[in-house]
Amino acid sequence: ACADQLRVVVHRERPAAAPVIDAEQSRATVSPAPLSADLRSATDRDLPSRTDPIGAGLSELVGGPVGRHALIGRTRLLTPLRVMFIIALVFLALGWSTKAPCLQTTGTGPPDKRVANWQNQRAYYELCYSDTVPLYGAELLSQGRFPYKSSWLETDSTGRPQVRYDGRPAVRYMEYPVLTGVYQYVAMALAKTYTAVSKMFSLPVIAEVVMFFNFSAVGLVLAWLATVWGTAMLAGRRVWDAALVAASPILIFQVFTNFDALATGLAVGGLLAWARRKPTLAGVLIGLGVAAKLYPLLLLLPLVVLALRTDRAADAARTVVATVGAWFLVNLPVMMLFPRGWSEFFRLNSRRGDDMDSIYNVVKSFTGWQGFDQNLGFWQPPAVLNIVVGVLFLSCCAAIAYIALTAPQRPRVAQLAFLVVAAFLLVNKVWSPQFSLWLVPLAVLALPHRRILLAWMTIDALVWVPRMYYLYGEQNKGLPEQWFTATILLRDIAVIVLMALVVRQIYRPERDLVRWHGRVDDPSGGVFDGAPDAPPKWLPRWLRPRGAAVEEGVPDASRDSAVPA
């Protein structure tokens, strides 16, 4: 009755000529502009401002979490990838600024006569050390020599030529793989070109070694931006996970310490090509990465093992063949023209002892142990250490392959790739600080727990500080060795914890954030994504997935324990 009276009153008070406005027209007049007919939204995208405490806290700087009724993925200018590029450029600029004190030059005359001012070991106490600067002179790049063709004699601290353990002169060549060596040669050519142009025109006088560093840094910046892009594409609905690659604290000290960003960008590109089901392109990019640094070769192991589990051997074979072919084509000219210089990389790695960042040196530091090989001559290969490292790494690979083959649900490619590379670094006799860049994109894709990853990255980045002050020397009020090796031990423990968490999520996939409670399988899996288990019949029972039948029609007793996808 009240409603009827209300309708009568409204009817009496409404002017006769007033049009009747329906509900749709009423909502349209509230909007400042006509509503778009396209209301699509990336509703499945992970939103850190809602789902992650760190993301929620940082979002307060820009107005708070994204609204409940916002259309996701419709921003034209500040897309997630562009925002992450901006973040990466900020951290890369911080990385360049940490090296800037070592780029101050000394001397007079033309640019090619000036050198970087590293007097009184300032590279250590100002934390600005970079291999790029000393390599310019040590590897004869300053003389315009082509890598692998020219050689020099190794000298001691007094400048006297060294003699090998077998009595022969200690002759050295470029120690990097071919692609990295050619990259340095190109950067040198650009630096010398700038010097020549600066003499003809009124340009700022800059030392060649500084321009060599700067040109090298430009390429490394582009390589890391490619790493950010590739990680974002591999992350699928969790595109914002790549922000940890862009804003990793490890970048601040390590991205310009050496040339490892080149291999990292190519390795991530190879994984992205595999994810997009282009196995040949994936092999080419991985092969180029191996030509820049050896570690991308490790990415083939997860692909081969998962191909065995899912009967996708043909795709994995194409990737392996393309990897070998690309690596061979890049190396062939140098291998044929300068075989002695080309093989220096392999000789150097065989004769290196346990590096100061290795777990073996940590044990020696705290226990007084003298190591596996004692009283070695100059450049004499540590045979026992090499065997121990090889056996340990092969054992780790066997354990990872066992997990990949027998886990109730097929592991993701990124999970296995992270485990293999992390195991290699932990048991290897060399863990140069810039090697940690290899793990950054793989860890983000394998274990996207932001607080855990930031804790590890911070520890790894801060290792640089005691490392530099230990090298500075206690006599110069630096740090004793145990301060440095203690931080190395802490970093190794952090990486082992990450590996344990990854293995835990492999066996408990319902806790894997990437799988999204079973709605997603493997965004970076390529042909493995959504593929059923189909192990070959010749594979023994103990290497088959838990819950899989050993033979057709024969039920497996462990099937009830399988975790459903």
Side-chain angles (χ1 to χ4, degrees), residues 168-436:
R168 293 186 294 171
V171 180
R172 283 286 308 276
Y173 290 84
M174 166 72 76
E175 65 186 55
Y176 289 92
V178 169
L179 200 59
T180 301
V182 173
Y183 178 81
Q184 295 180 59
Y185 182 78
V186 171
M188 174 271 294
L190 293 174
K192 289 189 174 296
T193 300
Y194 180 87
T195 298
V197 172
S198 66
K199 293 179 179 179
M200 294 186 294
F201 303 98
S202 180
L203 293 177
V205 177
I206 303 177
E208 268 186 16
V209 64
V210 175
M211 292 306 300
F212 172 71
F213 177 91
N214 290 336
F215 282 122
S216 299
V218 170
L220 298 176
V221 166
L222 296 176
W224 196 256
L225 292 178
T227 302
V228 174
W229 171 75
T231 307
M233 298 297 102
L234 287 166
R237 58 175 291 271
R238 298 185 58 88
V239 61
W240 284 106
D241 287 343
L244 287 175
V245 180
S248 174
I250 299 176
L251 287 179
I252 297 175
F253 291 122
Q254 304 306 340
V255 69
F256 300 127
T257 297
N258 207 283
F259 307 96
D260 292 66
L262 298 175
T264 304
L266 290 168
V268 173
L271 290 178
L272 179 59
W274 176 267
R276 294 184 173 180
R277 307 195 176 205
K278 298 178 180 178
T280 302
L281 178 60
V284 170
L285 292 174
I286 292 175
L288 293 176
V290 177
K293 208 78 174 183
L294 192 60
Y295 99 89
L297 184 66
L298 304 176
L299 302 179
L300 296 179
L301 177 63
L303 302 183
V304 171
V305 174
L306 292 178
L308 182 64
R309 174 167 176 157
T310 59
D311 193 22
R312 297 294 194 276
D315 297 288
R318 283 197 290 270
T319 300
V320 172
V321 171
T323 298
V324 175
W327 176 87
F328 184 75
L329 288 177
V330 171
N331 283 265
L332 182 61
V334 178
M335 189 190 309
M336 296 296 294
L337 295 174
F338 317 111
R340 182 67 173 80
W342 173 83
S343 59
E344 177 74 4
F345 169 75
F346 302 98
R347 283 194 305 274
L348 176 69
N349 283 278
S350 67
R351 67 190 180 216
R352 292 184 70 168
D354 46 12
D355 198 61
M356 59 187 298
D357 297 78
S358 68
I359 190 63
Y360 310 101
N361 184 61
V362 172
V363 174
K364 291 196 299 185
S365 173
F366 286 107
T367 65
W369 174 54
Q370 298 300 312
F372 291 108
D373 302 270
Q374 302 178 21
N375 303 320
L376 293 177
F378 186 66
W379 282 6
Q380 186 173 357
V384 178
L385 176 62
N386 289 340
I387 293 174
V388 169
V389 169
V391 170
L392 287 177
F393 179 60
L394 291 177
S395 301
C396 291
C397 290
I400 295 169
Y402 177 81
I403 293 172
L405 292 173
T406 62
Q409 185 173 347
R410 172 180 37 78
R412 294 186 289 110
V413 170
Q415 291 174 322
L416 298 180
F418 171 76
L419 292 177
V420 172
V421 176
F424 174 79
L425 290 175
L426 285 170
V427 304
N428 194 28
K429 59 183 180 179
V430 178
W431 186 335
S432 297
Q434 69 273 7
F435 289 1
S436 298

Side-chain angles (χ1 to χ4, degrees), residues 436-479:
S436 298
L437 292 172
W438 306 352
L439 289 177
V440 172
L442 298 178
V444 168
L445 294 170
L447 189 73
H449 291 263
R450 297 179 179 92
R451 286 177 291 181
I452 296 175
L453 291 179
L454 280 175
W456 157 65
M457 291 178 184
T458 303
I459 293 171
D460 202 310
L462 293 178
V463 168
W464 184 252
V465 178
R467 189 183 203 272
M468 292 291 99
Y469 281 103
Y470 164 58
L471 291 174
Y472 189 48
E474 289 187 69
Q475 69 279 7
N476 298 319
K477 298 183 180 180
L479 292 176

Side-chain angles (χ1 to χ4, degrees), residues 500-519:
L501 291 175
V502 170
V503 173
R504 180 172 179 264
Q505 291 192 0
I506 289 176
Y507 284 100
R508 303 186 66 179
E510 70 276 5
R511 294 183 175 271
D512 189 349
L513 296 179
V514 175
R515 293 195 186 272
W516 199 21
H517 303 292
R519 283 173 279 186

